[in-house]
């Protein structure tokens, strides 16, 4: 390549961009008319396929490496996040299945329950003993139906209540509520009181102090109980009607005529204090 070729190739970019002077363009044209290598070089430049290799700079190498590193970290983060979401979903599904299994209940015929109303103090309790399994878990749902002057109101009070205890058997919880050969559950707990012959809802509480300084809990009767029902599935059994019998277990009174439980009806306490 002679000196004219070098000058011509220096002018070629200006010619491609259209900014070459008239004299320079004339020189370039006359040279390429006689120089085949410069013709090929110029043709390659104009078609954009001139093979001019450029070495990547250090900045471009660093940027490429950083992007590749960030891609790996993002991929690892995405895999971790996906695994956590899958694990959480499986946990929720397992918890849901566990709740369904544990809270599945079945109806047991009422004739397999022995329901009793008993009392050892002013409180009255309703218990249901089942004979179908010594290892079972039975629970109940309480429905209170307040009634006025209707034929279902046997109390003679303006208002009364009908209590319905729905018994439910949860075999998959299998809690040990064994009592002898039966499974025993108390379906009323501090809800009922009695005056010796009739049941009432506990309407309130009071307190007093016995002669020996022991505190007394005084119960105040609330709504009278017209009827107590026990339900299992579609079967319903009435276990008490107003004025009906229930088991009042005898208890010894202390020297001051207080029950050992220290729980009394307020009316009994006031009558006792009046007699003294």
């Amino acid at each position: 390549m002679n000196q004219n070729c070098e000058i011509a190739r220096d002018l070629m970019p200006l010619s491609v961009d259209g900014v070459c002077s008239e004299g320079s363009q004339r020189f370039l044209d006359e040279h390429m008319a006689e120089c085949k290598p410069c013709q090929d070089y110029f043709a390659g430049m104009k078609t954009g396929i001139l093979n001019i290799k450029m070495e990547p700079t250090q900045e471009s190498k660093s940027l490429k490496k950083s992007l590749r590193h960030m891609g790996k970290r993002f991929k690892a983060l995405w895999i971790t996040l996906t695994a956590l979401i899958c694990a959480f979903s499986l946990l929720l599904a397992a918890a849901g299945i566990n709740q369904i299994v544990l809270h599945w209940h079945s109806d047991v015929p009422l004739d397999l329950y022995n329901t009793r109303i008993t009392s050892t103090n002013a409180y009255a309790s309703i218990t249901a003993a089942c004979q179908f399994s010594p290892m079972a878990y039975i629970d109940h749902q309480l429905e209170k139906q307040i009634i006025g002057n209707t034929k279902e109101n046997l109390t003679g009070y303006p208002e009364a209540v009908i209590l319905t205890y729905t018994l439910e058997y949860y075999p998959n919880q299998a809690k040990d509520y064994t009592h002898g050969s039966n499974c025993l559950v108390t379906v009323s707990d501090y809800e009922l009181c009695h005056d010796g012959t009739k049941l009432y809802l506990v309407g309130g509480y009071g307190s007093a102090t016995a002669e020996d300084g022991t505190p007394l809990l005084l119960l105040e009767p609330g709504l009278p109980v017209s009827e107590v029902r026990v339900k299992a599935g579609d079967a319903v059994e009435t276990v008490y009607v107003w004025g009906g019998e229930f088991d009042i277990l005898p208890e010894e009174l202390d020297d001051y005529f207080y029950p050992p439980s220290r729980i009394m009806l307020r009316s009994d306490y006031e009558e006792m204090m009046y007699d003294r």
Side-chain angles (χ1 to χ4, degrees):
M1 186 172 63
N2 55 36
Q3 186 176 6
N4 289 339
C5 290
E6 292 179 358
I7 297 173
R9 295 188 182 191
D10 289 340
L11 295 176
M12 287 179 185
L14 299 176
S15 176
V16 172
D17 293 336
V19 294
C20 194
S21 65
E22 183 177 349
S24 297
Q25 185 65 45
R26 186 183 314 110
F27 170 81
L28 181 60
D29 292 339
E30 291 175 353
H31 175 76
M32 286 194 300
E34 299 175 354
C35 184
K36 184 69 167 59
C38 285
Q39 292 179 14
D40 296 338
Y41 187 89
F42 186 62
M45 180 181 292
K46 289 196 298 184
T47 55
I49 60 171
L50 181 63
N51 187 17
I52 301 177
K53 295 183 178 180
M54 297 181 63
E55 289 294 330
T57 63
Q58 187 63 35
E59 290 79 2
S60 64
K61 291 181 180 180
S62 300
L63 179 60
K64 186 176 181 180
K65 184 177 180 180
S66 299
L67 291 175
R68 184 164 57 247
H69 181 66
M70 289 177 60
K72 290 181 179 179
R73 293 187 60 184
F74 181 77
K75 184 178 180 180
L77 179 62
W78 176 252
I79 293 174
T80 303
L81 182 61
T82 303
L84 289 176
I85 293 174
C86 291
F88 185 68
S89 301
L90 290 174
L91 182 63
L92 288 180
I97 294 173
N98 184 59
Q99 289 296 314
I100 292 173
V101 171
L102 285 180
H103 288 83
W104 173 80
H105 70 274
S106 61
D107 298 325
V108 177
L110 278 176
D111 57 6
L112 294 182
Y113 290 100
N114 180 18
T115 306
R116 299 177 60 195
I117 302 177
T118 59
S119 173
T120 55
N121 50 49
Y123 275 122
S125 299
I126 302 175
T127 59
C130 54
Q131 302 177 11
F132 50 86
S133 173
M135 288 286 293
Y137 174 47
I138 56 177
D139 201 1
H140 72 282
Q141 301 293 330
L142 172 60
E143 176 187 352
K144 298 178 182 179
Q145 178 186 356
I146 299 177
I147 55 177
N149 292 317
T150 66
K151 64 179 181 179
E152 295 179 305
N153 188 350
L154 308 175
T155 66
Y157 287 79
E159 280 190 334
V161 65
I162 295 176
L163 304 177
T164 302
Y165 296 89
T166 301
L167 301 177
E168 297 173 330
Y169 169 46
Y170 295 85
N172 292 322
Q173 294 195 17
K175 294 185 178 179
D176 187 3
Y177 286 120
T178 57
H179 180 74
S181 60
N182 296 330
C183 178
L184 182 68
V185 64
T186 300
V187 296
S188 68
D189 192 13
Y190 307 115
E191 296 168 338
L192 301 173
C193 60
H194 69 93
D195 60 4
T197 58
K198 301 179 181 66
L199 290 179
Y200 303 84
L201 290 179
V202 175
Y205 301 91
S207 62
T209 304
E211 281 83 345
D212 62 355
T214 304
L216 301 173
L217 178 63
L218 306 180
L219 303 182
E220 298 178 358
L223 285 176
V225 178
S226 178
E227 189 175 348
V228 175
R229 303 168 181 170
V230 177
K231 182 179 180 182
D234 296 329
V236 181
E237 177 186 355
T238 297
V239 296
Y240 169 82
V241 293
W242 176 253
E245 294 183 356
F246 55 91
D247 296 331
I248 302 178
L249 303 180
E251 58 181 359
E252 295 182 0
L253 302 180
D254 64 12
D255 295 337
Y256 298 100
F257 301 98
Y258 296 117
S261 64
R262 290 299 195 258
I263 299 175
M264 304 179 64
L265 285 183
R266 179 183 290 275
S267 57
D268 292 343
Y269 173 78
E270 292 175 347
E271 182 179 353
M272 184 179 65
M273 297 303 294
Y274 178 79
D275 292 340
R276 293 179 182 177

